[in-house]
């Protein structure tokens, strides 16, 4: 018998810490900042080798998928820990888009074969809804006509590496479309490590998975809630690196980090990150336990996380001085990811609006 | 090892022997203390059973369910949160036996004689002198300020300078001061809110026996750190329900008065609601860390967060109230025994919360502490570190 918990579990379990250590080890060996910068300047910004190690080697793509379907049968709590680490290294892998968002859509539609394929990491999935859309708001659909799909969708994150696209159509259905049947054209993206693309369907065959609306809603809610953990990892990296740099960098014959004006800014940032950790942990726990408060926890986490992550990255750039403005220093990768994340799955303002309804604080 | 079921059994026995409905309040509290159910993590004989701190909640829940009286922890907050852990850590057996029981039952209220007109953020610069007489007693002279509860306190924790010839941190000694001594004069200090919640305390030739010294002579700064760290834990470790803090009254006003709503206020309210919830979750996370035996440094930050939020939220509420925001409930000088942050009107909350970023360590000093102790950034330049206290400029 389980008793309902009065409070969410906001800590990390020993297993979660072990998972973190394993992911961090892997990333420190295979995802250094210089490599990420070199990659985003190429035609292939995604790191397929790293994806293979994470998904195939460690089985992390299947954390949310039940064991009987080939997954790990873990929860959003473990996924959140993985995303913290991926955020810490702005890893250019389609983890959030495939292992979380597309997977949640498939779980809602009970698409068992595709779930198994995504869980194994052999195939990558992408939900064909623009990255800026939040759960519950309107999204673009394609035309379903004569048994085929027609239309153009933009802002689809990680579509460039997807093997299967999950496409909502005007008949209310969600269709699985093989990426080879679509034309995927990369768009020039603000965030080079999670690029968006345009998807054109010109009479593409699609397999009906189920109703689009509940699947998209569930996928975007999980995406938004767990994005907070990525933003946490990102903000933590920028804070840690900035503190490290300011202890070394000397001006006026003393470490810059000894100046009170800067100490106060960093202490303030630390406080914001500490608060972000609590909201991100709460969202992950509520999603994991299907708590009554999951909608609220996600809205709070996203309304809080985005401004903190952007602020952390902006402070990191400013406090690194001239070096922070250069292409060779990785802080720009974090700034671009943080700013794009602040739009992804709904802006802070969109989540505050959702919250106003949930907690009965109505607009005038 | 005392476990939850053992504590529940002991609680049931206490309730059976002293039925709350027919037992005098103080008798019940004393019996509870003697049964080791006051603060279960304290040692046996001192109100506890040496049990894990987290199990206190088990006892409290059972007692509350039976309508048992509590010891009004808000009224005796300084004693509970600051004096008691310091006495436990540094007191002699005799001191622990004498002070802890009446402290816990609330028979004896404590106050804290730390801050001085010239020693606030720079507390270690304090100038109240304690001079030892031939017979071993100490004679204390000086002035303290911002002393909550001094007008109702039976005892005070006091730090005073016992050696002016060494650098400031090294010449301080920690005492327990009798507030009924004729040399103690308590004067109300009226504040921006109109009430006199704090006091000035003038100390003239107050004799303190050496048996009321806590810790070694000259070691008072170290002892005071125990007090101050416990103060911050007490502030940071509170468990609040959603909307349990300052955001509660303003959210209620918003819901009940649609005519006051504007788009600008709505945006600001939602932002502060989210930040309040984030701070609440952080405090809950900190509490869970403490229970799990992994205290984190977050406590240092919680006071910063709540101070800023209280000020922004109460400021917003005054605006939200519109015409009523131009009014104030009552400027009569009152002498409250405890601070009630939310029980009065919006104007009071706005003015009182201005103190939140000053009392218990200013926001500026706490940011330095976070930067230096948590982030490991270099300390502030210190010009007084190796200078004898008497040679410092004042």
């Amino acid at each position: 018998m389980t008793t309902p918990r009065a409070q969410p579990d906001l800590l990390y379990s020993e297993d979660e810490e072990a998972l973190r250590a394993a992911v961090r080890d892997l990333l420190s060996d295979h995802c250094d900042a210089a490599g990420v910068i070199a990659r985003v300047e190429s035609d292939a910004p995604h790191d397929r080798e790293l994806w293979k190690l994470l998904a195939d080697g460690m089985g992390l793509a299947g954390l949310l998928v039940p064991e009987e379907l080939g997954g790990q049968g873990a929860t959003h709590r473990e996924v959140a820990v993985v995303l913290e680490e991926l955020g810490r290294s702005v890893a250019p892998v389609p983890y959030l888009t495939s292992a979380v968002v597309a997977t949640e859509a498939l779980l809602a539609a009970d698409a068992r074969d595709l779930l198994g394929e995504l869980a194994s990491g052999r195939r990558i999935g992408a939900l064909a809804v623009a990255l800026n859309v939040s759960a519950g708001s309107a999204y673009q659909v394609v035309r379903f006509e004569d048994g085929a799909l027609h239309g153009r969708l933009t802002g689809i994150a990680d579509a460039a590496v997807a093997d299967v696209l999950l496409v909502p159509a005007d008949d209310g259905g969600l269709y699985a479309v093989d990426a080879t049947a679509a034309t995927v054209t990369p768009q020039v993206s603000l965030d080079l490590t999670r690029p968006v693309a345009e998807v054109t369907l010109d009479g593409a065959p699609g397999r009906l998975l189920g109703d689009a609306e509940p699947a998209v809603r569930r996928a975007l809610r999980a995406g938004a809630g767990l994005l907070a953990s990525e933003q946490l990892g990102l903000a933590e990296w920028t804070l840690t690196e900035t503190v490290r740099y300011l202890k070394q960098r000397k001006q006026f014959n003393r470490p810059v980090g000894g100046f009170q004006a800067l100490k106060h800014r960093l202490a303030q940032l630390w406080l914001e990150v500490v608060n972000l950790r609590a909201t991100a942990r709460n969202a992950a726990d509520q999603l994991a336990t299907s708590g009554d408060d999951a909608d609220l926890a996600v809205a709070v986490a996203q309304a809080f996380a985005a401004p903190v992550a952007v602020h952390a990255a902006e402070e990191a750039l400013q406090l690194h001085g001239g070096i922070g403005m250069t292409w060779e220093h990785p802080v720009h990768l974090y700034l671009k990811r943080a700013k794009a994340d602040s739009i992804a799955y709904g802006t802070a303002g969109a989540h505050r609006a959702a919250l106003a309804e949930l907690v009965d604080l109505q607009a005038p | 090892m005392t476990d939850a079921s053992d504590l529940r059994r002991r609680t049931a026995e206490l309730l059976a022997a002293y039925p709350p409905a027919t037992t005098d309040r103080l008798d019940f509290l004393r019996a509870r203390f003697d049964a080791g159910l006051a603060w279960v993590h304290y040692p046996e004989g001192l109100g506890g059973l040496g049990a894990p701190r987290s199990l206190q909640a088990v006892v409290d829940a059972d007692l509350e369910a039976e309508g048992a009286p509590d010891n009004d922890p808000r009224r005796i907050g300084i004693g509970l949160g600051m004096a008691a852990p310091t006495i436990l850590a540094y007191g002699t057996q005799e001191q622990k036996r004498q002070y802890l029981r009446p402290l816990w039952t609330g028979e004896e209220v404590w106050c804290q004689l730390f801050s001085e007109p010239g020693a606030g953020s720079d507390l270690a610069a304090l100038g109240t002198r304690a001079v030892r007489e031939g017979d071993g007693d100490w004679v204390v002279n000086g002035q303290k300020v911002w002393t909550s509860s001094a007008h109702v306190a039976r005892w005070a924790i006091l730090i005073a300078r016992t050696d002016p010839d060494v650098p400031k941190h090294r010449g301080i000694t920690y005492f327990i001061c009798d507030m009924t001594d004729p040399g103690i004069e308590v004067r109300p200090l009226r504040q921006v809110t109109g009430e006199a919640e704090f006091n000035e305390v003038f100390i003239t030739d107050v004799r303190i026996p050496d048996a009321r010294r806590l810790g070694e002579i000259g070691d008072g700064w170290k002892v005071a750190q125990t007090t101050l760290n416990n103060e911050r834990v007490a502030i940071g470790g509170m468990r609040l329900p959603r909307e349990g803090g300052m955001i509660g009254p303003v959210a209620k006003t918003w819901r009940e008065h649609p005519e006051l709503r504007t788009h600008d206020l709505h945006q600001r309210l939602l932002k502060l609601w989210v930040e309040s919830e984030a701070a609440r979750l952080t405090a809950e996370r900190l509490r869970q860390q403490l229970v799990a035996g992994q205290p984190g440094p977050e406590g240092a930050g919680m006071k910063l967060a709540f101070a800023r939020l209280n000020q922004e939220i109460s400021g917003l509420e005054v605006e939200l109230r519109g015409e009523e925001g131009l009014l104030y409930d009552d400027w009569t000088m009152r002498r409250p025994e405890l601070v009630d942050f939310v029980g009065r009107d919006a104007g009071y909350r706005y003015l009182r919360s201005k103190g939140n970023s000053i009392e218990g360590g200013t926001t500026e000093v706490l940011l330095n502490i976070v930067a230096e102790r948590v982030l490991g950034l270099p300390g502030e330049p210190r010009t007084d570190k190796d200078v004898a206290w008497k040679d410092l400029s004042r």
Side-chain angles (χ1 to χ4, degrees):
Chain A
M1 192 187 84
T2 55
T3 45
R5 291 180 308 161
Q7 294 289 339
D9 176 3
L10 302 175
L11 306 181
Y12 300 99
S13 68
E14 275 179 39
D15 287 350
E16 286 163 1
E17 290 294 4
L19 173 63
R20 176 198 305 289
V23 176
R24 192 179 291 191
D25 271 0
L26 183 87
L27 290 168
S28 70
D29 289 347
H30 296 277
C31 189
D32 66 319
V36 178
I37 293 175
R39 194 173 295 286
V40 296
E41 290 175 293
S42 74
D43 291 339
H46 290 97
D47 190 340
R48 286 174 176 277
E49 209 173 309
L50 177 62
W51 173 255
K52 202 166 151 44
L53 291 168
L54 288 164
D56 218 7
M58 298 181 72
L60 298 181
L63 286 179
L64 292 176
V65 178
E67 286 178 73
E68 64 268 26
L69 299 181
Q72 306 288 319
T75 73
H76 302 76
R77 291 177 56 91
E78 289 83 3
V79 172
V81 170
V82 174
L83 281 167
E84 279 181 36
E85 296 307 312
L86 294 175
R88 204 191 297 277
S89 38
V90 277
V93 289
Y95 192 83
L96 184 64
T97 47
S98 183
V100 177
V101 175
T103 296
E104 287 277 348
L106 294 172
L107 283 165
D110 198 25
R112 304 171 80 87
D113 55 332
L114 275 174
L115 275 170
E117 290 177 14
L118 260 55
S120 72
R122 285 192 305 277
R123 295 184 88 196
I124 293 168
L127 180 69
V129 170
L131 182 61
N132 61 304
V133 175
S134 65
S137 54
Y139 49 87
Q140 265 201 304
V141 294
V142 298
R143 209 168 71 249
F144 181 76
E145 201 175 282
D146 302 333
L149 299 162
H150 309 263
R152 194 171 66 92
L153 299 165
T154 53
I156 311 304
D158 292 334
V161 280
D163 302 296
V164 57
L165 298 160
L166 309 180
V167 183
D170 58 2
D171 65 346
L174 183 70
Y175 291 85
V177 176
D178 202 282
T180 55
T183 307
V184 177
T185 314
Q187 297 175 284
V188 180
S189 302
L190 174 67
D191 176 8
L192 297 155
T193 60
R194 184 180 285 140
V196 292
E198 182 182 288
V199 171
T200 308
L201 302 175
D202 188 10
R207 177 159 70 89
L208 182 64
L209 299 171
D211 287 343
E213 201 277 330
V216 170
R217 179 184 283 270
R218 173 170 168 175
L220 297 183
R221 184 178 83 161
L226 292 173
L227 178 64
S229 290
E230 175 182 300
Q231 289 163 315
L232 169 62
L234 188 159
E236 262 204 318
W237 183 91
T238 57
L239 174 61
T240 306
E241 270 308 294
T242 308
V243 167
R244 193 179 65 79
Y245 180 71
L246 294 195
K247 284 184 198 172
Q248 289 171 354
R249 166 80 172 165
K250 282 189 178 173
Q251 295 282 270
F252 307 102
N253 198 35
R254 52 191 268 219
V256 171
F259 288 93
Q260 197 175 62
L262 306 192
K263 283 161 74 173
H264 282 194
R265 282 166 71 166
L266 289 168
Q268 183 58 43
L269 212 51
W270 172 82
L271 185 56
E272 290 177 30
V273 171
V274 162
N275 278 264
L276 169 51
R277 183 183 303 286
T279 63
R281 226 39 219 145
N282 185 48
D285 190 68
Q286 288 288 327
L287 286 166
T289 57
S290 308
D292 296 339
D293 270 349
D295 286 334
L296 183 94
V298 169
V300 167
Q302 265 315 304
F304 191 80
V308 171
V310 171
H311 184 218
E314 288 176 347
E315 286 286 80
L317 193 150
Q318 169 67 20
L319 298 178
H320 274 81
I323 186 77
M325 199 57 202
T326 64
W327 187 270
E328 71 191 56
H329 193 282
V331 72
H332 67 92
L333 296 174
Y334 290 81
L335 178 66
K336 291 162 189 172
R337 172 69 74 86
K339 197 64 186 172
D341 277 359
S342 76
I343 302 167
Y345 308 115
T347 60
H351 288 282
R352 283 196 292 268
L355 195 65
E357 297 291 325
L358 290 168
V359 299
D360 186 30
L361 290 172
Q362 309 294 340
Chain B
M1 186 64 190
T2 309
D3 59 14
S5 60
D6 180 41
L7 285 176
R8 297 197 68 171
R9 180 182 57 75
R10 288 170 186 261
T11 306
E13 283 170 11
L14 172 73
L15 286 162
Y18 299 87
T22 54
T23 306
D24 172 70
R25 176 175 180 275
L26 205 49
D27 288 342
F28 183 89
L29 291 173
R30 286 174 178 160
R32 178 176 167 188
F33 186 93
D34 295 340
L37 299 170
W39 32 35
V40 296
H41 56 293
Y42 271 46
E44 263 184 80
L46 297 174
L49 295 164
R53 188 181 191 134
S54 55
L55 292 180
Q56 184 67 48
V58 175
V59 174
D60 292 349
D62 282 3
L63 290 175
E64 196 186 327
E66 294 301 316
D70 83 357
N71 59 342
D72 199 354
R74 292 175 64 225
R75 199 176 103 83
I76 58 172
I78 293 170
L80 281 183
M82 303 173 79
T86 312
I87 292 168
L88 185 68
Y90 287 97
T92 60
Q93 272 310 101
E94 181 45 40
Q95 288 169 337
K96 292 177 199 174
R97 264 195 297 273
Q98 179 184 352
Y99 298 115
L100 289 177
R101 189 175 186 248
L103 183 161
W104 186 86
T105 59
E107 289 161 79
E108 293 177 351
V109 172
W110 287 66
C111 67
Q112 181 206 29
L113 297 174
F114 278 22
S115 297
E116 298 184 4
S121 290
D122 186 10
L123 181 59
L126 60 90
T128 292
R129 286 295 314 272
V131 178
R132 198 159 192 190
E133 301 262 293
D135 58 4
D137 283 3
W138 297 84
V139 177
V140 186
N141 281 281
Q143 183 194 345
K144 298 287 180 175
V145 76
W146 315 127
T147 315
S148 314
S149 304
H151 54 293
V152 290
R154 173 66 183 83
W155 299 104
I157 41 178
L158 164 75
I159 45 178
R161 185 153 312 278
T162 45
D163 187 353
D165 296 322
V166 294
K168 61 181 184 181
H169 288 93
R170 283 190 250 147
I172 295 170
T173 303
Y174 199 118
F175 298 98
I176 293 169
C177 174
D178 183 346
M179 291 296 285
T180 64
D181 190 288
I184 296 278
E185 187 196 348
V186 177
R187 292 187 200 159
L189 197 55
R190 198 169 188 214
Q191 298 146 229
V192 290
T193 56
E195 64 182 26
E197 166 200 323
F198 297 127
N199 302 277
E200 298 178 286
V201 179
F202 295 83
I203 305 167
T204 311
D205 293 334
V206 169
R207 292 189 83 81
I208 300 183
D210 193 54
R212 281 206 232 114
R213 171 164 52 79
L214 267 186
E216 299 303 312
I217 296 169
D219 228 9
W221 187 250
K222 191 178 85 186
V223 183
Q225 291 308 304
T226 301
T227 309
L228 296 172
N229 288 338
N230 275 288
E231 178 181 30
R232 287 175 198 137
V233 168
I235 291 170
M238 289 178 302
R239 176 171 237 172
L240 285 176
R242 187 172 293 145
E243 292 190 8
M246 200 67 98
I247 196 72
V250 66
K252 186 165 178 279
T253 304
W254 184 270
R255 290 179 189 122
E256 289 172 358
H257 296 279
E259 76 282 4
L260 297 175
R261 298 174 191 166
T262 70
H263 287 286
D264 165 57
L265 290 169
H266 191 230
Q267 288 308 309
R268 288 160 61 195
L269 173 65
L270 288 175
K271 190 165 171 293
L272 290 168
W273 196 97
V274 168
E275 289 171 0
S276 299
E277 178 69 358
R280 185 186 75 84
L281 289 166
T282 306
E284 173 60 24
R285 188 171 139 76
L286 174 66
R287 205 194 56 78
Q288 291 181 7
Q289 285 177 297
L290 286 172
V291 169
Q294 319 153 353
E298 285 86 345
M302 292 317 296
K303 180 182 176 291
L304 290 165
F306 283 118
R308 182 184 64 79
L309 281 169
N310 286 350
Q311 293 174 356
E312 289 192 22
I313 294 165
S314 59
L316 174 79
E317 194 187 357
V318 171
E319 284 179 65
L320 168 64
R321 294 242 167 211
E323 188 181 326
E324 202 191 314
L326 296 169
L327 308 177
Y328 193 76
D329 61 358
D330 185 2
W331 288 114
T332 311
M333 184 174 119
R334 308 180 187 193
R335 304 231 59 201
E337 286 190 22
L338 52 88
V339 186
D340 183 0
F341 286 104
V342 292
R344 287 180 57 182
D345 78 352
Y348 173 84
R349 287 194 276 278
Y350 171 71
L351 295 173
R352 180 58 186 83
S353 69
K354 294 297 159 215
N356 293 164
S357 51
I358 301 169
E359 59 200 340
T362 63
T363 288
E364 289 69 23
V365 164
L366 288 178
L367 285 170
N368 279 353
I369 289 175
V370 168
E372 290 167 21
R373 298 198 196 151
V374 180
L375 300 178
L377 290 163
E380 292 303 299
R382 299 277 284 273
T383 57
D384 57 359
K385 205 166 171 242
D386 300 313
V387 182
W389 178 82
K390 66 176 167 49
D391 297 328
L392 294 175
S393 62
R394 264 182 295 278

